[in-house]
Amino acid sequence: MQEPSLKIIELKDNFLKFELSGVSPAFANALRRTLLSEVPTLAIDDVIITVNDSVLFDEILAHRLGLIPLHIDDEVYDILREAYEEGKRDEYTVSFVLDVEAIDRPVMVYSGHLKFQAASFGSLSPMSARITPVSESIPIVKLASGQKLALEAIAKMGTGKEHAKWQPVATVAYKYKPKIKILNPKPKDLQKCVDICPKGVLSAESGELKVVNELECSLCRECEEKCPGVVKIG
Ligand code: SF4
């Protein structure tokens, strides 16, 4: 039995792709479900609205604020996660304020208008730079000329199984790793076999059919069907 292993293929700020080997599909699916519902994250949970002249009801505004992803650095995250696991999430909170007025023209209120106010658990400095919305350009509501919005938003830790706003990932999916075997590298319709693949997995190099991008294969089996005896998908 192969030892379980994990190899990172692509890592960006908001995207991770990895290859998991030596585990069953059930394990991979359990990992997927755990990422969605069991990893604690920070999200706005309480909103105290002092002025709301906008067209949206208070409840809708609070819901929109809850869905804004928040960035926290590792040190702050560890403090909050530990407190959450000890059942102290209501004591370890982070608050933001938002105060926007459309004086003489309409103004769009964005996530960037949320300003860090305080953390209930100490003064790690500069805290304001370490707890921010992931993006400053998420629209919240548009204010017409003369309207105002003022509120305090309190963020707490939680998990996705309680509410989707605490999901740490937008989505997570897995697929079986394809095994592509070239049975006949010099088929009569070489270019047709290359062109049939919608994912650019096959290529013609020096008159031979080659696999160039195996992980991109979607297992659609078009190549097997349209070029019989040339490619085998496992
Ligand atoms: S199974 Fe589909 S995606 Fe994969 S190589 Fe064949 S045609 Fe391309």
Side-chain angles (χ1 to χ4, degrees), residues 203-228:
S203 141
E205 289 173 19
S206 313
E208 288 198 6
L209 190 64
K210 292 259 163 61
V211 178
V212 288
N213 207 359
E214 194 174 52
L215 280 181
E216 283 303 309
C217 173
S218 63
L219 302 168
C220 68
R221 296 187 183 272
E222 274 291 291
C223 51
E224 269 187 344
E225 198 180 305
K226 301 286 171 25
C227 295

Side-chain angles (χ1 to χ4, degrees), residues 47-189:
V47 181
I48 301 157
I49 296 177
T50 44
V51 182
N52 177 16
D53 298 330
S54 79
V55 292
L56 294 186
F57 292 120
D58 292 357
E59 292 82 354
I60 297 174
L61 277 174
H63 184 253
R64 290 179 70 78
L65 289 163
L67 294 174
I68 293 171
L70 301 174
H71 169 79
I72 43 179
D73 70 15
D74 292 350
E75 194 184 339
V76 177
Y77 178 77
D78 287 345
I79 294 169
L80 288 168
R81 194 200 54 203
E82 220 169 275
Y84 175 76
E85 286 168 356
E86 289 169 4
K88 296 184 196 159
R89 80 165 178 183
D90 289 339
E91 295 159 44
Y92 283 69
T93 60
V94 176
S95 63
F96 298 86
V97 286
L98 183 148
D99 192 347
V100 182
E101 186 170 7
I103 295 172
D104 50 11
R105 60 188 170 83
V107 171
M108 179 63 85
V109 182
Y110 289 102
S111 48
H113 286 109
L114 276 171
K115 299 297 173 209
F116 170 81
Q117 180 177 238
S120 65
F121 49 92
S123 56
L124 293 169
S125 64
M127 185 77 86
S128 56
R130 300 163 71 176
I131 307 176
T132 56
V134 166
S135 163
E136 298 210 325
S137 52
I138 301 169
I140 298 171
V141 65
K142 190 170 188 178
L143 299 179
S145 190
Q147 292 182 338
K148 180 176 163 74
L149 180 63
L151 56 85
E152 181 183 4
I154 297 159
K156 296 176 188 170
M157 294 293 271
T159 55
K161 68 182 171 193
E162 197 178 339
H163 191 288
K165 69 183 175 185
W166 279 300
Q167 274 183 203
V169 290
T171 190
V172 50
Y174 72 92
K175 68 171 187 178
Y176 295 107
K177 185 180 176 188
K179 277 189 191 157
I180 305 171
K181 195 168 172 195
I182 305 287
L183 303 175
N184 176 8
K186 293 185 178 177
K188 200 154 45 95
D189 296 327

